Structures are given as structure tokens and as C-alpha cells.
Amino acid sequence: MFRKIILTLVVFAGFCLRGSAQETIQHVYGRTVLSLNGPWNYIMDPYQMGYLDYRQKPFDQSKSGKGGFYDNLTGVDKSTKTEYDFTYAPTLEVPGDWNSQEEKLLFYEGTLWYKKDFVMNPDAGKRYFLYFGAVNYECHVYLNGKKLGVHKGGFTPFQFDVSGKLNPGKNFVVLMTDNTRKRDEIPTINTDWWNYGGITRDVMIVEMPQTYIEDYKVQLAKGSKDIIEGFVRLQGTEKSGKVTLEIPELKIKSSYTTDEDGKVSFSIKTRKMDYWSPEHPKLYDVIVTSTDDKVEDKIGFRTIATRHQDILLNDKPIFLKGISVHDENPILGGRLRSEGDMRMMLEWAKELGCNYIRLAHYTHNETMLRLADEVGLLVWAEIPVYWTISWTNPETYANAENQLTVGIDRDKNRASIIVWSVGNETPVTEERNVFMGHLVDKARSLDNTRLIAAALEVEREGYTIKVEDPLGDKLDLASFNEYGGWYWSEPKELPKYTFDIRFDKPVVISEFGAGALGGFHGDEDTVWSEEHQELVYINQLEMLDKMEALRGMTPWILTDFRSPRRQHPVYQDFWNRKGLISNTGKKKKAFYILQQYYKNKTAGKQR
Ligand code: GCU
């Protein structure tokens, strides 16, 4: 009975929120946009004075709808009484979390207001959208003093239709965001990463024709190396119309007519093509046109599958030489903000000898995925269903499913992504199995071409590491985190351990590692020294290499990163020190151990 209730609740939540996945425009970076990046005035508001009256009622739900900071009153004349004024307020750079920009905001968790003035002359014949790459965590958005809506979720893009709401000339956006952690949210209150708040990714006004190309998918069909399939969807006033798909290098130019919902699916047999791979990250120019719109993208084509314990990329076995990566610039101590930041991280991964990265633990910046396509790195993408989620709360499930849906929708054309992960280290209970099982089913229903995974739970019995997490039955990989030599056992003991894994699937270790303060040296038994981290890597790799089914790994982690859980005043100072590169950009000794191990793993040779 209990299980049935859970099931019903979870399914119902999925149903009622299905339509709420904020449909954002596909490939917004390929459209005509006015960037709103740059300095925004900001006001800290720990008591939400700009949103709630003294009886805790939202101003924007009062009769007048006025009274909040979104009115953007300023000292217009000597009689104006305001207790805020954006005009004289300091600024924060957007994109960028607030924590890394102001000393007093490093630990700030709460509500903060942003305001941006901009000038534009909207064309009455066009449509306009206000697009955010991500805002952490719950934000209320106002244009010219009028509320556009609310968005929840710190890592996924969203947009508001502002057609007809833009003034000719001067306009202003006001946004209130609250990054307070809450038990029933995704992620929940407990994470091992910094709760960076604010407008952390790009903001832009997107200009579109009245009828525009809202979305498209152009990928190889599941299991095929010469059928390109997908769809185009028009949005706007004339949804049914002619669309054309062109891939000039493949001599493809096909035209179709969309149905009354604006959608048309296609399946095209192609001539021989250059398949995308890390060694040869071939991207094709793909052009989608409609009567009034045109969008150009760069898309790679490859296949990914598993066969028993092998992972097959373009039908050839591959070993995933990976590393885990947070969305954080270690030098800055804040979210990655620009293409330059992201290239730095990806070049470090290439220098390490990687062909694969785990973008932990949440949806990363779209630019990161486009760069992975360009430089040739396979990707494990993930949503922040992390640790002790509220498994029986239907809204929590709907939130998780929404973040999964928006992430898959945004990145479905990226060749680099081979894995959608639905979570990390979630404790095994019946409720969790139902919740995660639904997420797996949802991921497969959205994308039947990529592998579905999660970091599973692990037990130990003596010198045996056992993996029998029931969620593994629904996944394509046997992936799990194990911290032998750090959280349990000693480095030199590791070669005595063996694995008992209940699944006939490829094993991809999603995390192992150890902490070291870059530049701190001692003998190999001195914890926090680079030598000790090096010893853990040497013995971990010896232990793992004995595993017949090992087909990849993403050790934890490329660079040190901020964490509120790491308080040692000498060795940590609120930094998780498991990086192979320090927060000063220094490569630690273990970097070279892993680099050599990957050098010895020639492409296609499993063992
Ligand atoms: C966990 C978790 C990571 C965390 C790491 C650590 O496995 O997945 O997010 O940072 O261990 O303890 O450093």
C-alpha cells in the first residue's frame, strides 16, 4: 500500500509539472540577441523588505501591485520617500556569483536584488524573450516594474516572453533571487560545494520573427550509423509552414512542412560521414531555415552503446580516461563565467590525457558543452539529485524531473554528451528507488540514444567492495564512488581489495581521490601532503586496474573547489583539497601519476 501511494504521488507530480519545463529557445547563442551582461546594481535584502510588507505579504500580490524594490523608485524629487535606491547601489558583474565578487558576500545566503537599465527600440513585427542561462536559486523577475514570473533551479536556463512589454528606448529589469538552501529543493540543504548565489550565467534579450524556429534535434538514430533523425518545431503565429534542414558537407538539403503544432519529424539516410570522437571532434554545419527564421549550429555525429562490459564509441571499445569537474574557476573561487574560464578547465583535462569529463553535480553552462564538442571530450552530464533528497515529496520529484528535462532539451544535439546521470550517492530506500527509477524512465523517454547512469551506493565486507545497489538494474553503467585510502582503509592496503559487482555492465568509477594542500610536502604517510595524495592514486590505480570490467574513471577532482564542509584552518580553509590542481593553478604530484596511467591506456585497448 505504502509503495502504491508513493508511486501515485510521484507519477501525479510528474504529470502536473510536465508542461512546466520552461521551453527555452534551442541554441540561443546562434540567434539575434542584445546581451545584458555587465554591471548590474544590487541590494542585499536578508529580510526581503523589497518583496514583503510588514505583515509578510508580497507587495506584487497587493491590489496596486506596487511597493516592492521592482518599482525601482529613485530620488526623483525631494518628496520621494524610499528606503532603497538602485541608482546609488553598488554593482556586481553578470554573469557571476555574488560570493566571489564581494568579501562581505562570500558566505551570504539569502535574498539579493539586481537591476539593469538598457536601451532598445523593439520592432513591432518581432518577438522578444528575456533569457537567463541560470540564476541560483529561486528568482522573481520584473520588467519595467511589472512581474514576468518566477523560476526555481540554480543550474538550468529559462526565459520569459516579453513581446509587447518593451518600451522604445529606456527599459529596466529587476530580479530578486534567494539562494537559501531548503530541505525539499533540488539540491537539498546538504552539499559538498559552495552555494554560489546570483545571476551566474549569461542574460540576453533574444529577438525572433513572429514565427520562429523554437527547437530542433539533429542526431544519429539509436543504433544507426547512417540515419540522421530528429525534428524541427516552429513557434508563433504561423506554426504550419515550410522548414528546410541543410548539412552541406553531407549533401543534405531536405524540406518539410510542419503540422498545426509547428512540429515535423524527419529521418534521412546519409552518405559516409566523419564520426565525432575525442581524437577527431568533427562538427558539421547544420542550417535550419523556415519562412522567416534561420539558425546555424555545429553538430557532431557519433554512436554510443554498451555490450556487456564494453563501452562502444562508433562501434569501437573505448576506455573513458576521465576526471570530475565542478562549475568553478579555482583561481577566482567562483562560478565559471566566460569562455576563457571554461577553456582553461578543458585544456587542463586534455593536458591530463583525458578523453572524458564528469560535469558534476548539476547542469553546467551551455558553453562548456559546446567547447567539449569542439575540443573533443566525452561528457557525463548530471542533475543535482545529490545525497538525502526528500524522496516522498511530489514537488521535489517534479523539480528534479524538470531540471532533467530542461538539461536534456538544451543539450540534446551535443555529440560530447554520452551519459545522462540522474544523481549521486543517494541512500538506498524503497522511496529513493521509486524516485530515481522514474527519473531513469524519464531520461530514456526523452533520449533513447545516450547512456543513463548514476553514482551508486557501495558496501564493504572485509577486503571485498560490493556493488549491488538495486538502481543499477535500470542503468547502463555500473558507476560508483569509492574513497579507499582516504575515507576508509589505508593507501598501502588497497591492492588487497577486490570488487564484487552484481551487474554485467561496464564499470566506470565515478569518484575516488584524496586531499592534498598544493605545495605542502612530507613523507607519503603525511596526510594532506602531495606525497600522500600521490600514494593514494598509485594504490587506487593498482587496485582498480585488476578489475576485469573496468572501462573508465573520473577521479575526484580536476581542481580544488570551495566547500562549506571543509574547515581545517591550515589544510582546507573552506576548500575541498582533492583537486589534482590547486586553487593557484599548481599541478600536484598525483596529477602526473594519473597522466602517466592514461598515457599507458592506448585508445581501444581495454587493459
Ligand atoms: C562525495 C561526493 C562529492 C564530494 C566528495 C568528497 O563522493 O560525491 O561531491 O565532494 O565525495 O568527499 O570530497
mmCIF file of all heavy atoms in Angstrom, residues 513-557:
data_model
loop_
_atom_site.group_PDB
_atom_site.id
_atom_site.type_symbol
_atom_site.label_atom_id
_atom_site.label_comp_id
_atom_site.label_asym_id
_atom_site.label_seq_id
_atom_site.Cartn_x
_atom_site.Cartn_y
_atom_site.Cartn_z
ATOM 1 N N GLY A 513 39.662 9.534 -4.702
ATOM 2 C CA GLY A 513 40.592 10.653 -4.559
ATOM 3 C C GLY A 513 41.050 10.822 -3.127
ATOM 4 O O GLY A 513 40.716 10.019 -2.250
ATOM 5 N N ALA A 514 41.807 11.890 -2.927
ATOM 6 C CA ALA A 514 42.357 12.209 -1.603
ATOM 7 C C ALA A 514 42.719 13.688 -1.593
ATOM 8 O O ALA A 514 42.969 14.287 -2.643
ATOM 9 C CB ALA A 514 43.594 11.359 -1.337
ATOM 10 N N GLY A 515 42.768 14.244 -0.379
ATOM 11 C CA GLY A 515 43.074 15.673 -0.267
ATOM 12 C C GLY A 515 44.569 15.918 -0.152
ATOM 13 O O GLY A 515 45.308 15.082 0.364
ATOM 14 N N ALA A 516 45.005 17.047 -0.689
ATOM 15 C CA ALA A 516 46.400 17.487 -0.526
ATOM 16 C C ALA A 516 46.439 18.995 -0.692
ATOM 17 O O ALA A 516 45.822 19.549 -1.599
ATOM 18 C CB ALA A 516 47.303 16.829 -1.555
ATOM 19 N N LEU A 517 47.183 19.639 0.179
ATOM 20 C CA LEU A 517 47.364 21.087 0.041
ATOM 21 C C LEU A 517 48.517 21.307 -0.930
ATOM 22 O O LEU A 517 49.656 20.890 -0.667
ATOM 23 C CB LEU A 517 47.688 21.705 1.410
ATOM 24 C CG LEU A 517 47.992 23.203 1.421
ATOM 25 C CD1 LEU A 517 46.783 24.013 0.963
ATOM 26 C CD2 LEU A 517 48.429 23.648 2.825
ATOM 27 N N GLY A 518 48.224 21.913 -2.061
ATOM 28 C CA GLY A 518 49.262 22.133 -3.088
ATOM 29 C C GLY A 518 50.470 22.823 -2.482
ATOM 30 O O GLY A 518 50.337 23.831 -1.791
ATOM 31 N N GLY A 519 51.658 22.227 -2.709
ATOM 32 C CA GLY A 519 52.885 22.852 -2.219
ATOM 33 C C GLY A 519 53.296 22.370 -0.845
ATOM 34 O O GLY A 519 54.403 22.652 -0.385
ATOM 35 N N PHE A 520 52.416 21.599 -0.184
ATOM 36 C CA PHE A 520 52.776 21.054 1.142
ATOM 37 C C PHE A 520 53.382 19.669 0.930
ATOM 38 O O PHE A 520 52.739 18.786 0.356
ATOM 39 C CB PHE A 520 51.548 20.958 2.040
ATOM 40 C CG PHE A 520 51.785 20.210 3.335
ATOM 41 C CD1 PHE A 520 52.784 20.606 4.214
ATOM 42 C CD2 PHE A 520 51.025 19.090 3.656
ATOM 43 C CE1 PHE A 520 53.018 19.914 5.388
ATOM 44 C CE2 PHE A 520 51.251 18.387 4.833
ATOM 45 C CZ PHE A 520 52.256 18.787 5.689
ATOM 46 N N HIS A 521 54.629 19.486 1.355
ATOM 47 C CA HIS A 521 55.331 18.227 1.102
ATOM 48 C C HIS A 521 55.728 17.544 2.410
ATOM 49 O O HIS A 521 55.967 18.217 3.427
ATOM 50 C CB HIS A 521 56.560 18.479 0.223
ATOM 51 C CG HIS A 521 56.196 18.956 -1.139
ATOM 52 N ND1 HIS A 521 55.649 18.128 -2.092
ATOM 53 C CD2 HIS A 521 56.231 20.206 -1.682
ATOM 54 C CE1 HIS A 521 55.387 18.829 -3.185
ATOM 55 N NE2 HIS A 521 55.730 20.097 -2.968
ATOM 56 N N GLY A 522 55.762 16.229 2.383
ATOM 57 C CA GLY A 522 56.165 15.430 3.549
ATOM 58 C C GLY A 522 56.383 14.011 3.067
ATOM 59 O O GLY A 522 56.367 13.753 1.855
ATOM 60 N N ASP A 523 56.523 13.065 4.003
ATOM 61 C CA ASP A 523 56.672 11.697 3.517
ATOM 62 C C ASP A 523 55.277 11.167 3.130
ATOM 63 O O ASP A 523 54.266 11.805 3.438
ATOM 64 C CB ASP A 523 57.342 10.820 4.575
ATOM 65 C CG ASP A 523 56.467 10.669 5.823
ATOM 66 O OD1 ASP A 523 55.222 10.767 5.690
ATOM 67 O OD2 ASP A 523 57.018 10.499 6.913
ATOM 68 N N GLU A 524 55.237 10.007 2.503
ATOM 69 C CA GLU A 524 53.968 9.541 1.918
ATOM 70 C C GLU A 524 52.914 9.233 2.974
ATOM 71 O O GLU A 524 51.748 9.089 2.657
ATOM 72 C CB GLU A 524 54.221 8.308 1.061
ATOM 73 C CG GLU A 524 54.759 7.120 1.805
ATOM 74 C CD GLU A 524 55.139 5.973 0.868
ATOM 75 O OE1 GLU A 524 55.303 6.238 -0.355
ATOM 76 O OE2 GLU A 524 55.246 4.842 1.357
ATOM 77 N N ASP A 525 53.309 9.133 4.246
ATOM 78 C CA ASP A 525 52.323 8.872 5.300
ATOM 79 C C ASP A 525 51.800 10.165 5.917
ATOM 80 O O ASP A 525 50.956 10.123 6.817
ATOM 81 C CB ASP A 525 52.936 7.982 6.393
ATOM 82 C CG ASP A 525 53.359 6.630 5.814
ATOM 83 O OD1 ASP A 525 52.632 6.132 4.914
ATOM 84 O OD2 ASP A 525 54.428 6.113 6.185
ATOM 85 N N THR A 526 52.308 11.301 5.429
ATOM 86 C CA THR A 526 51.864 12.589 5.994
ATOM 87 C C THR A 526 50.591 13.049 5.287
ATOM 88 O O THR A 526 50.639 13.486 4.135
ATOM 89 C CB THR A 526 52.974 13.656 5.835
ATOM 90 O OG1 THR A 526 54.167 13.186 6.442
ATOM 91 C CG2 THR A 526 52.542 14.987 6.452
ATOM 92 N N VAL A 527 49.469 12.892 5.989
ATOM 93 C CA VAL A 527 48.187 13.267 5.372
ATOM 94 C C VAL A 527 48.196 14.764 5.028
ATOM 95 O O VAL A 527 48.840 15.562 5.729
ATOM 96 C CB VAL A 527 47.031 12.951 6.349
ATOM 97 C CG1 VAL A 527 45.693 13.430 5.792
ATOM 98 C CG2 VAL A 527 46.980 11.453 6.595
ATOM 99 N N TRP A 528 47.554 15.118 3.928
ATOM 100 C CA TRP A 528 47.476 16.454 3.343
ATOM 101 C C TRP A 528 48.717 16.827 2.534
ATOM 102 O O TRP A 528 48.722 17.851 1.876
ATOM 103 C CB TRP A 528 47.205 17.572 4.377
ATOM 104 C CG TRP A 528 45.910 17.443 5.106
ATOM 105 C CD1 TRP A 528 45.726 17.204 6.434
ATOM 106 C CD2 TRP A 528 44.600 17.506 4.548
ATOM 107 N NE1 TRP A 528 44.398 17.120 6.731
ATOM 108 C CE2 TRP A 528 43.665 17.304 5.579
ATOM 109 C CE3 TRP A 528 44.110 17.711 3.243
ATOM 110 C CZ2 TRP A 528 42.295 17.292 5.394
ATOM 111 C CZ3 TRP A 528 42.742 17.710 3.038
ATOM 112 C CH2 TRP A 528 41.834 17.504 4.102
ATOM 113 N N SER A 529 49.745 15.960 2.570
ATOM 114 C CA SER A 529 50.901 16.270 1.704
ATOM 115 C C SER A 529 50.604 15.813 0.275
ATOM 116 O O SER A 529 49.783 14.903 0.045
ATOM 117 C CB SER A 529 52.146 15.537 2.219
ATOM 118 O OG SER A 529 52.003 14.139 1.977
ATOM 119 N N GLU A 530 51.294 16.411 -0.673
ATOM 120 C CA GLU A 530 51.145 15.965 -2.072
ATOM 121 C C GLU A 530 51.587 14.507 -2.198
ATOM 122 O O GLU A 530 51.032 13.738 -2.990
ATOM 123 C CB GLU A 530 51.987 16.860 -2.984
ATOM 124 C CG GLU A 530 51.414 18.256 -3.188
ATOM 125 C CD GLU A 530 52.076 18.964 -4.381
ATOM 126 O OE1 GLU A 530 52.454 18.274 -5.357
ATOM 127 O OE2 GLU A 530 52.223 20.183 -4.317
ATOM 128 N N GLU A 531 52.594 14.128 -1.383
ATOM 129 C CA GLU A 531 53.113 12.752 -1.458
ATOM 130 C C GLU A 531 52.049 11.755 -1.016
ATOM 131 O O GLU A 531 51.923 10.658 -1.583
ATOM 132 C CB GLU A 531 54.369 12.620 -0.597
ATOM 133 C CG GLU A 531 55.601 13.307 -1.156
ATOM 134 C CD GLU A 531 55.519 14.827 -1.118
ATOM 135 O OE1 GLU A 531 54.676 15.364 -0.342
ATOM 136 O OE2 GLU A 531 56.263 15.474 -1.889
ATOM 137 N N HIS A 532 51.249 12.121 -0.022
ATOM 138 C CA HIS A 532 50.215 11.191 0.448
ATOM 139 C C HIS A 532 49.117 11.023 -0.616
ATOM 140 O O HIS A 532 48.676 9.918 -0.914
ATOM 141 C CB HIS A 532 49.608 11.703 1.757
ATOM 142 C CG HIS A 532 48.602 10.771 2.352
ATOM 143 N ND1 HIS A 532 47.252 10.886 2.134
ATOM 144 C CD2 HIS A 532 48.750 9.658 3.117
ATOM 145 C CE1 HIS A 532 46.614 9.920 2.748
ATOM 146 N NE2 HIS A 532 47.501 9.159 3.359
ATOM 147 N N GLN A 533 48.716 12.153 -1.218
ATOM 148 C CA GLN A 533 47.714 12.058 -2.297
ATOM 149 C C GLN A 533 48.252 11.202 -3.439
ATOM 150 O O GLN A 533 47.555 10.377 -4.022
ATOM 151 C CB GLN A 533 47.352 13.462 -2.808
ATOM 152 C CG GLN A 533 46.242 13.510 -3.836
ATOM 153 C CD GLN A 533 46.100 14.896 -4.471
ATOM 154 O OE1 GLN A 533 47.094 15.543 -4.841
ATOM 155 N NE2 GLN A 533 44.884 15.355 -4.605
ATOM 156 N N GLU A 534 49.538 11.390 -3.748
ATOM 157 C CA GLU A 534 50.191 10.600 -4.809
ATOM 158 C C GLU A 534 50.134 9.106 -4.464
ATOM 159 O O GLU A 534 49.792 8.274 -5.314
ATOM 160 C CB GLU A 534 51.647 11.058 -4.936
ATOM 161 C CG GLU A 534 52.425 10.393 -6.040
ATOM 162 C CD GLU A 534 53.894 10.825 -6.023
ATOM 163 O OE1 GLU A 534 54.454 11.011 -4.912
ATOM 164 O OE2 GLU A 534 54.467 10.965 -7.119
ATOM 165 N N LEU A 535 50.391 8.772 -3.196
ATOM 166 C CA LEU A 535 50.384 7.358 -2.772
ATOM 167 C C LEU A 535 48.979 6.766 -2.929
ATOM 168 O O LEU A 535 48.810 5.628 -3.377
ATOM 169 C CB LEU A 535 50.829 7.259 -1.310
ATOM 170 C CG LEU A 535 50.892 5.851 -0.713
ATOM 171 C CD1 LEU A 535 52.016 5.045 -1.378
ATOM 172 C CD2 LEU A 535 51.086 5.909 0.797
ATOM 173 N N VAL A 536 47.956 7.562 -2.570
ATOM 174 C CA VAL A 536 46.576 7.070 -2.734
ATOM 175 C C VAL A 536 46.307 6.763 -4.198
ATOM 176 O O VAL A 536 45.782 5.710 -4.554
ATOM 177 C CB VAL A 536 45.552 8.086 -2.195
ATOM 178 C CG1 VAL A 536 44.124 7.668 -2.558
ATOM 179 C CG2 VAL A 536 45.703 8.248 -0.681
ATOM 180 N N TYR A 537 46.724 7.682 -5.107
ATOM 181 C CA TYR A 537 46.475 7.454 -6.543
ATOM 182 C C TYR A 537 47.212 6.223 -7.041
ATOM 183 O O TYR A 537 46.664 5.398 -7.764
ATOM 184 C CB TYR A 537 46.861 8.701 -7.342
ATOM 185 C CG TYR A 537 45.697 9.648 -7.542
ATOM 186 C CD1 TYR A 537 45.211 10.415 -6.481
ATOM 187 C CD2 TYR A 537 45.041 9.750 -8.762
ATOM 188 C CE1 TYR A 537 44.128 11.257 -6.640
ATOM 189 C CE2 TYR A 537 43.942 10.598 -8.942
ATOM 190 C CZ TYR A 537 43.488 11.339 -7.875
ATOM 191 O OH TYR A 537 42.408 12.151 -8.041
ATOM 192 N N ILE A 538 48.474 6.063 -6.638
ATOM 193 C CA ILE A 538 49.247 4.901 -7.084
ATOM 194 C C ILE A 538 48.538 3.609 -6.683
ATOM 195 O O ILE A 538 48.304 2.713 -7.499
ATOM 196 C CB ILE A 538 50.668 4.946 -6.491
ATOM 197 C CG1 ILE A 538 51.477 6.075 -7.144
ATOM 198 C CG2 ILE A 538 51.367 3.600 -6.660
ATOM 199 C CD1 ILE A 538 52.764 6.403 -6.426
ATOM 200 N N ASN A 539 48.081 3.552 -5.431
ATOM 201 C CA ASN A 539 47.471 2.309 -4.943
ATOM 202 C C ASN A 539 46.034 2.134 -5.425
ATOM 203 O O ASN A 539 45.586 1.017 -5.665
ATOM 204 C CB ASN A 539 47.550 2.269 -3.412
ATOM 205 C CG ASN A 539 48.965 1.964 -2.944
ATOM 206 O OD1 ASN A 539 49.409 0.821 -3.010
ATOM 207 N ND2 ASN A 539 49.697 2.999 -2.553
ATOM 208 N N GLN A 540 45.326 3.230 -5.588
ATOM 209 C CA GLN A 540 43.977 3.134 -6.159
ATOM 210 C C GLN A 540 44.057 2.545 -7.574
ATOM 211 O O GLN A 540 43.314 1.635 -7.930
ATOM 212 C CB GLN A 540 43.333 4.536 -6.222
ATOM 213 C CG GLN A 540 42.535 4.917 -4.998
ATOM 214 C CD GLN A 540 41.120 4.328 -5.005
ATOM 215 O OE1 GLN A 540 40.695 3.710 -5.987
ATOM 216 N NE2 GLN A 540 40.405 4.494 -3.902
ATOM 217 N N LEU A 541 44.961 3.084 -8.375
ATOM 218 C CA LEU A 541 45.060 2.638 -9.776
ATOM 219 C C LEU A 541 45.501 1.181 -9.849
ATOM 220 O O LEU A 541 45.009 0.404 -10.680
ATOM 221 C CB LEU A 541 46.002 3.556 -10.551
ATOM 222 C CG LEU A 541 45.471 4.984 -10.724
ATOM 223 C CD1 LEU A 541 46.553 5.902 -11.282
ATOM 224 C CD2 LEU A 541 44.228 4.989 -11.604
ATOM 225 N N GLU A 542 46.362 0.766 -8.918
ATOM 226 C CA GLU A 542 46.767 -0.644 -8.897
ATOM 227 C C GLU A 542 45.557 -1.525 -8.558
ATOM 228 O O GLU A 542 45.299 -2.543 -9.199
ATOM 229 C CB GLU A 542 47.884 -0.856 -7.874
ATOM 230 C CG GLU A 542 48.413 -2.289 -7.891
ATOM 231 C CD GLU A 542 49.465 -2.568 -6.820
ATOM 232 O OE1 GLU A 542 50.145 -1.579 -6.401
ATOM 233 O OE2 GLU A 542 49.596 -3.729 -6.394
ATOM 234 N N MET A 543 44.781 -1.073 -7.569
ATOM 235 C CA MET A 543 43.601 -1.852 -7.155
ATOM 236 C C MET A 543 42.570 -1.909 -8.293
ATOM 237 O O MET A 543 42.051 -2.963 -8.643
ATOM 238 C CB MET A 543 42.963 -1.197 -5.927
ATOM 239 C CG MET A 543 41.624 -1.749 -5.535
ATOM 240 S SD MET A 543 40.899 -0.874 -4.119
ATOM 241 C CE MET A 543 40.375 0.656 -4.870
ATOM 242 N N LEU A 544 42.313 -0.762 -8.915
ATOM 243 C CA LEU A 544 41.250 -0.694 -9.933
ATOM 244 C C LEU A 544 41.641 -1.448 -11.194
ATOM 245 O O LEU A 544 40.811 -2.066 -11.857
ATOM 246 C CB LEU A 544 40.925 0.767 -10.252
ATOM 247 C CG LEU A 544 40.286 1.558 -9.115
ATOM 248 C CD1 LEU A 544 40.174 3.034 -9.488
ATOM 249 C CD2 LEU A 544 38.906 1.007 -8.775
ATOM 250 N N ASP A 545 42.933 -1.397 -11.522
ATOM 251 C CA ASP A 545 43.360 -1.988 -12.787
ATOM 252 C C ASP A 545 43.168 -3.494 -12.801
ATOM 253 O O ASP A 545 43.130 -4.112 -13.856
ATOM 254 C CB ASP A 545 44.828 -1.640 -13.036
ATOM 255 C CG ASP A 545 45.017 -1.167 -14.478
ATOM 256 O OD1 ASP A 545 43.995 -0.850 -15.124
ATOM 257 O OD2 ASP A 545 46.151 -1.160 -14.953
ATOM 258 N N LYS A 546 42.999 -4.096 -11.646
ATOM 259 C CA LYS A 546 42.803 -5.549 -11.588
ATOM 260 C C LYS A 546 41.362 -5.926 -11.939
ATOM 261 O O LYS A 546 41.058 -7.099 -12.162
ATOM 262 C CB LYS A 546 43.113 -6.064 -10.166
ATOM 263 C CG LYS A 546 44.591 -6.008 -9.796
ATOM 264 C CD LYS A 546 44.828 -6.646 -8.421
ATOM 265 C CE LYS A 546 44.073 -5.919 -7.346
ATOM 266 N NZ LYS A 546 44.329 -6.444 -5.985
ATOM 267 N N MET A 547 40.485 -4.917 -12.006
ATOM 268 C CA MET A 547 39.066 -5.198 -12.212
ATOM 269 C C MET A 547 38.778 -5.452 -13.683
ATOM 270 O O MET A 547 38.943 -4.555 -14.518
ATOM 271 C CB MET A 547 38.235 -4.014 -11.709
ATOM 272 C CG MET A 547 36.772 -4.301 -11.564
ATOM 273 S SD MET A 547 35.763 -2.827 -11.449
ATOM 274 C CE MET A 547 36.665 -1.784 -10.360
ATOM 275 N N GLU A 548 38.358 -6.662 -14.014
ATOM 276 C CA GLU A 548 38.123 -7.075 -15.397
ATOM 277 C C GLU A 548 37.167 -6.123 -16.113
ATOM 278 O O GLU A 548 37.357 -5.783 -17.264
ATOM 279 C CB GLU A 548 37.534 -8.500 -15.382
ATOM 280 C CG GLU A 548 37.318 -9.101 -16.743
ATOM 281 C CD GLU A 548 38.584 -9.035 -17.611
ATOM 282 O OE1 GLU A 548 39.699 -9.268 -17.093
ATOM 283 O OE2 GLU A 548 38.451 -8.657 -18.819
ATOM 284 N N ALA A 549 36.148 -5.639 -15.402
ATOM 285 C CA ALA A 549 35.079 -4.873 -16.064
ATOM 286 C C ALA A 549 35.355 -3.366 -16.075
ATOM 287 O O ALA A 549 34.534 -2.582 -16.544
ATOM 288 C CB ALA A 549 33.753 -5.122 -15.354
ATOM 289 N N LEU A 550 36.564 -2.958 -15.617
ATOM 290 C CA LEU A 550 36.843 -1.520 -15.566
ATOM 291 C C LEU A 550 36.916 -0.931 -16.970
ATOM 292 O O LEU A 550 37.688 -1.390 -17.810
ATOM 293 C CB LEU A 550 38.156 -1.256 -14.820
ATOM 294 C CG LEU A 550 38.506 0.215 -14.645
ATOM 295 C CD1 LEU A 550 37.590 0.861 -13.601
ATOM 296 C CD2 LEU A 550 39.971 0.391 -14.247
ATOM 297 N N ARG A 551 36.087 0.086 -17.246
ATOM 298 C CA ARG A 551 36.094 0.705 -18.574
ATOM 299 C C ARG A 551 36.208 2.234 -18.484
ATOM 300 O O ARG A 551 35.982 2.915 -19.491
ATOM 301 C CB ARG A 551 34.818 0.358 -19.335
ATOM 302 C CG ARG A 551 34.674 -1.099 -19.686
ATOM 303 C CD ARG A 551 35.774 -1.561 -20.636
ATOM 304 N NE ARG A 551 35.620 -2.965 -20.998
ATOM 305 C CZ ARG A 551 36.160 -3.962 -20.302
ATOM 306 N NH1 ARG A 551 36.882 -3.704 -19.189
ATOM 307 N NH2 ARG A 551 36.003 -5.226 -20.665
ATOM 308 N N GLY A 552 36.529 2.737 -17.292
ATOM 309 C CA GLY A 552 36.730 4.181 -17.227
ATOM 310 C C GLY A 552 36.669 4.676 -15.792
ATOM 311 O O GLY A 552 36.361 3.924 -14.864
ATOM 312 N N MET A 553 37.004 5.979 -15.659
ATOM 313 C CA MET A 553 37.010 6.586 -14.332
ATOM 314 C C MET A 553 37.010 8.107 -14.436
ATOM 315 O O MET A 553 37.443 8.649 -15.474
ATOM 316 C CB MET A 553 38.242 6.139 -13.542
ATOM 317 C CG MET A 553 39.538 6.446 -14.245
ATOM 318 S SD MET A 553 40.991 5.985 -13.274
ATOM 319 C CE MET A 553 40.932 4.214 -13.390
ATOM 320 N N THR A 554 36.463 8.740 -13.409
ATOM 321 C CA THR A 554 36.563 10.211 -13.305
ATOM 322 C C THR A 554 36.975 10.540 -11.872
ATOM 323 O O THR A 554 36.141 10.895 -11.037
ATOM 324 C CB THR A 554 35.226 10.903 -13.620
ATOM 325 O OG1 THR A 554 34.182 10.206 -12.909
ATOM 326 C CG2 THR A 554 34.918 10.881 -15.103
ATOM 327 N N PRO A 555 38.285 10.368 -11.580
ATOM 328 C CA PRO A 555 38.752 10.659 -10.213
ATOM 329 C C PRO A 555 38.285 12.036 -9.730
ATOM 330 O O PRO A 555 37.995 12.923 -10.562
ATOM 331 C CB PRO A 555 40.275 10.601 -10.346
ATOM 332 C CG PRO A 555 40.519 9.696 -11.506
ATOM 333 C CD PRO A 555 39.411 9.982 -12.467
ATOM 334 N N TRP A 556 38.140 12.154 -8.446
ATOM 335 C CA TRP A 556 37.665 13.390 -7.825
ATOM 336 C C TRP A 556 38.856 14.166 -7.297
ATOM 337 O O TRP A 556 39.409 13.812 -6.263
ATOM 338 C CB TRP A 556 36.698 13.047 -6.675
ATOM 339 C CG TRP A 556 35.919 14.207 -6.177
ATOM 340 C CD1 TRP A 556 36.165 14.932 -5.040
ATOM 341 C CD2 TRP A 556 34.779 14.806 -6.800
ATOM 342 N NE1 TRP A 556 35.239 15.925 -4.911
ATOM 343 C CE2 TRP A 556 34.374 15.890 -5.978
ATOM 344 C CE3 TRP A 556 34.039 14.549 -7.959
ATOM 345 C CZ2 TRP A 556 33.276 16.699 -6.285
ATOM 346 C CZ3 TRP A 556 32.967 15.346 -8.265
ATOM 347 C CH2 TRP A 556 32.585 16.403 -7.429
ATOM 348 N N ILE A 557 39.259 15.176 -8.042
ATOM 349 C CA ILE A 557 38.599 16.061 -8.983
ATOM 350 C C ILE A 557 39.689 16.893 -9.667
ATOM 351 O O ILE A 557 40.824 16.959 -9.186
ATOM 352 C CB ILE A 557 37.552 16.935 -8.241
ATOM 353 C CG1 ILE A 557 36.777 17.820 -9.195
ATOM 354 C CG2 ILE A 557 38.180 17.709 -7.093
ATOM 355 C CD1 ILE A 557 35.585 18.523 -8.577
#
